[in-house]
Amino acid sequence: SPRAGASTGTGALSPFDRRLKRKQKNWAALQAEPAKCDYLREEVGTAAVGGLRRPPRQGGGGVSEARRTFPLALDVGSGRGYIAQHLTKETVEKFIQVDIAENALKNALESEIPTVSVVADEEFLPFKEDTFDLVVSSLSLHWVNDLPKAFREIHQVLKPDGVFIGAMFGGDTLYELRCSLQLAELEREGGFSPHVSPFTAVSDLGHLLSRAGFNTLTVDTDEIQVNYPGMFEVMEDLKGEYVLCMGESNCSWNRKPLLHRETMLAAAAIYQAEMYGNSDGSVPATFQIYYMIGWKFHESQARPAQRGSATVSFGDLAKIDGLLSKGKK
């Protein structure tokens, strides 16, 4: 089918192996202590919906003072429900969680909101147009093969005046690990292969959301830095026996399946001793987070004034200081 081809094909148009990603997330959800790897998702999930407000009608996509109740909300790539637990029945009346991994949904965290779980690929949302008042997504969309299409589908299932709130990893995520591995491979093997999956640039994000139909956009970036004893602890926390504990293992088609021992030791030395080590001997791992808010158009929303409707020219603005000074006198 076309969907299967999009999910499992190779090449630039489909950089990720979605079947492998499903296996990785299912494995991660069944670990004895999945909560030990939830700290990053917990923090980002809290931040993503912590300011859930209606933006002011005077314009702008930011937070207003009036809280809004959303009758029906959707979590795209919900995992174990890192967003639902931070919402209340006063904010969301009913919640639908969608994830590619059934084990993640079976082990979902408790929430006071009535919740329905649906196993589906986040790339192909199985819902009708104009269904949801709110769509959220936290740390899932960076694994989507066709991000513009994913944004269009999210926009499609939103009702007019519905809002999309999302968070995803940014391009500088794990740059310390990435650089250390690349330098070590260049030194020991004469070339390097990708070991950390590609991420979207923040300069593209607003454009993609706008093309998908969203308006009153807000795009922001943040960084979360976690310190580890060394590079191997970073990779253990991320991978958990070569499958990410957080479900974040590299599933790129062009990933390299094996790193030589000598290369790994060299990368650890570069990471800790030569480039990024802290004074106490630990090493930092940086996660860049993109936060985004976009609204689906509705007649009640504020719109930009028509071109040419201004009553004051830019040339007149230079006279304001002089007029104010005279008024003070």
Side-chain angles (χ1 to χ4, degrees):
S1 69
R3 290 187 177 183
S7 290
T8 61
T10 60
L13 295 179
S14 298
F16 302 123
D17 182 344
R18 295 289 292 175
R19 290 180 180 176
L20 177 59
K21 174 49 55 184
R22 180 182 180 181
K23 291 180 180 178
Q24 291 169 347
K25 294 185 72 174
N26 271 325
W27 180 93
L30 290 180
Q31 296 314 293
E33 299 180 37
K36 75 176 184 179
C37 295
D38 286 351
Y39 56 89
L40 191 63
R41 296 188 179 280
E42 290 277 5
E43 184 167 346
V44 175
T46 304
V49 297
L52 196 56
R53 301 284 195 274
R54 176 190 292 271
R57 289 305 182 196
Q58 289 72 24
V63 174
S64 74
E65 297 303 322
R67 181 170 290 279
R68 178 180 180 180
T69 298
F70 300 92
L72 184 60
L74 171 68
D75 187 350
V76 178
S78 63
R80 297 179 62 237
Y82 305 99
I83 287 183
Q85 62 176 326
H86 300 296
L87 297 175
T88 65
K89 290 184 291 186
E90 288 71 35
T91 305
V92 173
E93 295 178 356
K94 186 175 181 180
F95 211 49
I96 294 182
Q97 296 177 323
V98 168
D99 199 273
I100 197 173
E102 60 272 20
N103 290 341
L105 295 172
K106 290 177 182 176
N107 291 277
L109 301 163
E110 291 186 6
S111 170
E112 67 177 56
I113 304 171
T115 302
V116 176
S117 297
V118 177
V119 179
D121 194 323
E122 302 97 315
E123 294 188 339
F124 308 104
L125 299 179
F127 304 105
K128 294 181 180 180
E129 186 176 355
D130 300 340
T131 297
F132 297 97
D133 306 277
L134 166 70
V135 176
V136 296
S137 181
S138 182
L139 300 186
S140 172
L141 292 174
H142 55 280
W143 287 123
V144 168
N145 276 315
D146 191 343
L147 188 58
K149 179 178 181 296
F151 283 154
R152 289 195 301 271
E153 290 213 358
I154 290 171
H155 183 271
Q156 183 175 339
V157 301
L158 273 172
K159 293 180 180 179
D161 202 33
V163 59
F164 166 55
I165 300 177
M168 60 187 291
F169 284 125
D172 287 339
T173 294
L174 297 175
Y175 72 87
E176 303 97 341
L177 177 62
R178 190 196 314 260
C179 291
S180 300
L181 290 171
Q182 288 178 355
L183 289 172
E185 276 194 290
L186 283 171
E187 176 187 321
R188 298 301 174 97
E189 302 180 31
F192 65 86
S193 301
H195 298 285
V196 178
S197 295
F199 297 107
T200 303
V202 68
S203 57
D204 298 329
L205 201 53
H207 179 62
L208 293 176
L209 289 165
S210 179
R211 286 186 59 186
F214 291 101
N215 57 33
T216 51
L217 296 173
T218 300
V219 177
D220 199 6
T221 65
D222 193 14
E223 286 188 353
I224 299 174
Q225 192 173 88
V226 183
N227 291 319
Y228 293 87
M231 188 193 80
F232 292 108
E233 285 78 11
V234 176
M235 299 187 75
E236 179 184 1
D237 199 10
L238 292 173
K239 284 194 170 182
E241 300 299 330
Y242 301 102
V243 181
L244 280 180
C245 180
M246 290 190 287
E248 287 302 323
S249 189
N250 185 359
C251 64
S252 301
W253 286 103
N254 63 344
R255 65 192 180 276
K256 188 174 180 179
L258 181 65
L259 278 169
H260 295 117
R261 182 175 181 274
E262 294 77 10
T263 303
M264 291 284 288
L265 292 173
I270 291 171
Y271 200 149
Q272 191 161 25
E274 298 183 26
M275 296 192 66
Y276 303 110
N278 297 318
S279 58
D280 62 358
S282 64
V283 297
T286 299
F287 299 88
Q288 185 180 44
I289 313 296
Y290 298 157
Y291 294 99
M292 65 203 92
I293 302 176
W295 293 77
K296 188 168 181 175
F297 176 75
H298 187 268
E299 288 293 337
S300 65
Q301 294 173 354
R303 281 175 281 182
Q306 290 186 348
R307 187 179 179 86
S309 62
T311 57
V312 179
S313 70
F314 280 105
D316 293 334
L317 296 179
K319 304 175 184 178
I320 290 178
D321 285 341
L323 292 173
L324 290 176
S325 298
K326 289 180 181 179
K328 289 179 180 179
K329 291 179 181 179

